[in-house]
Amino acid sequence: QVQLVESGGGLVQAGGSLRLSCAASGSIFSINTMGWYRQPPGKQRELVASITYGGSTNYADSVKGRFTISRDNAKNTVYLQMNSLKPEDTAVYYCNAYVVQSGYYYAIDYWGKGTLVTVSS
């Protein structure tokens, strides 16, 4: 089994910064794409950013230039640096990872439980 544990959420004023972390643990052989999704209150979950094992990144238009995704493959950890935060960034942020477990030949989609980010105006 694999677990994803997020940390770093909290309350911040508009214009401020937060850094989210997500560590994967368990029976891991390798991790393909890792990403961050968010679900604002009353809305559907949406992709924020993703990063491949090789470091190629993809961002939602709403966060381009403000958020930066990175990963440490040796630590099975993905980060999301969020700068110039806006009230509309308020959401529960979820970590996602496509994990190839030891003894398997295909990747399985795993999710963290989420961490709340609240941006006050």
Side-chain angles (χ1 to χ4, degrees):
Q1 193 57 276
V2 173
Q3 297 81 39
L4 301 182
V5 179
E6 302 104 334
S7 61
L11 174 65
V12 64
Q13 288 189 330
S17 298
L18 282 175
R19 188 189 193 214
L20 305 183
S21 300
C22 171
S25 62
S27 181
I28 298 170
F29 176 72
S30 67
I31 303 178
N32 298 340
T33 299
M34 302 184 81
W36 290 94
Y37 288 72
R38 68 185 181 187
Q39 187 165 14
K43 297 184 179 180
Q44 291 187 330
R45 192 174 298 189
E46 61 183 9
L47 173 68
V48 176
S50 63
I51 184 168
T52 65
Y53 183 87
S56 295
T57 59
N58 179 51
Y59 294 93
D61 288 342
S62 59
V63 307
K64 284 181 181 177
R66 299 188 298 122
F67 292 9
T68 302
I69 190 171
S70 61
R71 64 188 284 176
D72 184 330
N73 291 329
K75 296 181 179 179
N76 291 329
T77 299
V78 63
Y79 307 95
L80 185 68
Q81 178 67 43
M82 305 185 293
N83 299 328
S84 303
L85 282 160
K86 304 175 182 180
E88 51 263 44
D89 294 318
T90 295
V92 178
Y93 283 71
Y94 296 91
C95 175
N96 171 258
Y98 283 85
V99 179
V100 179
Q101 292 181 252
S102 300
Y104 286 73
Y105 300 97
Y106 53 89
I108 299 175
D109 191 16
Y110 285 94
W111 291 88
K113 293 183 178 180
T115 185
L116 178 62
V117 172
T118 303
V119 184
S120 64
S121 58

